[in-house]
Amino acid sequence: MDVDIIEDCLQRAAALSTVWAVVREQDEDAWIVVLEDESLLDVEHDAESGRLMLRTELGQINQADTRAVFNDLLVRCASAFELPRIGMGPEHRYELLASWPIDPMKIDGLTALLNRVTTQARAWRDIVARPLNLDGSPLTCAQPLDALALKA
């Protein structure tokens, strides 16, 4: 698909969403999207699949036991909510991953995805930053993820 068409899709969806800005990376089929909390969302065009691939960093958990608690939370929540995937990126940093099948006639789907990614990235970053309750007990899906269920 023509990169200018994809650029137009992103710009129109951003204008209707909570996204602050979309900036095209020079000489690439990729964009940097600035979310409302000033964090960045990397967007790449995957020509083979005809999709936009979205990725944003959530943070890093250094302690193995805390990482195990967080990974358990991810597994339990994956079955409870339809979320973009959360994976492990470079240097063992968690990332929120999503994709959109490019359809210039369905910008509302991309707009909704941008809003969902923004909301979920903010919530997951908070969880990664402090994945245990104050009493040291593990988080449950129902606690901080209620906002995710409402926004999903």
Side-chain angles (χ1 to χ4, degrees):
M1 177 166 288
D2 184 89
V3 178
D4 291 335
I5 293 172
I6 298 169
E7 170 86 20
D8 182 61
C9 289
L10 274 167
Q11 293 293 347
R12 288 189 298 146
L16 298 171
S17 73
T18 59
V19 165
W20 280 4
V22 175
V23 179
R24 178 144 181 228
E25 293 191 38
Q26 191 173 5
D27 301 325
E28 293 187 38
D29 292 353
W31 296 263
I32 296 173
V33 176
V34 182
L35 303 178
E36 66 181 353
D37 65 354
E38 298 181 21
S39 63
L40 303 178
L41 174 67
D42 296 320
V43 179
E44 292 183 26
H45 173 227
D46 182 357
E48 187 174 314
S49 70
R51 301 179 78 84
L52 286 182
M53 309 306 287
L54 296 80
R55 183 188 65 78
T56 188
E57 189 175 297
L58 301 175
Q60 186 176 35
I61 300 174
N62 292 319
Q63 301 82 10
D65 57 340
T66 304
R67 195 169 40 250
V69 169
F70 181 74
N71 290 339
D72 182 58
L73 176 67
L74 285 177
V75 169
R76 287 183 284 131
C77 292
S79 62
F81 304 111
E82 182 180 328
L83 300 172
R85 296 187 187 277
I86 295 179
M88 188 72 72
E91 300 177 20
H92 304 290
R93 300 182 80 73
Y94 288 98
E95 299 177 329
L96 186 119
L97 309 166
S99 68
W100 180 67
I102 300 169
D103 186 343
M105 303 307 289
K106 295 186 179 176
I107 297 302
D108 56 333
L110 180 56
T111 302
L113 179 61
L114 289 172
N115 287 334
R116 188 168 57 245
V117 165
T118 299
T119 300
Q120 291 183 13
R122 183 180 326 113
W124 282 108
R125 281 188 192 107
D126 288 345
I127 295 167
V128 168
R130 49 182 195 289
L132 297 176
N133 286 321
L134 294 178
D135 64 2
S137 63
L139 293 171
T140 66
C141 282
Q143 291 169 337
L145 298 181
D146 286 339
L148 296 181
L150 296 174
K151 302 285 185 181

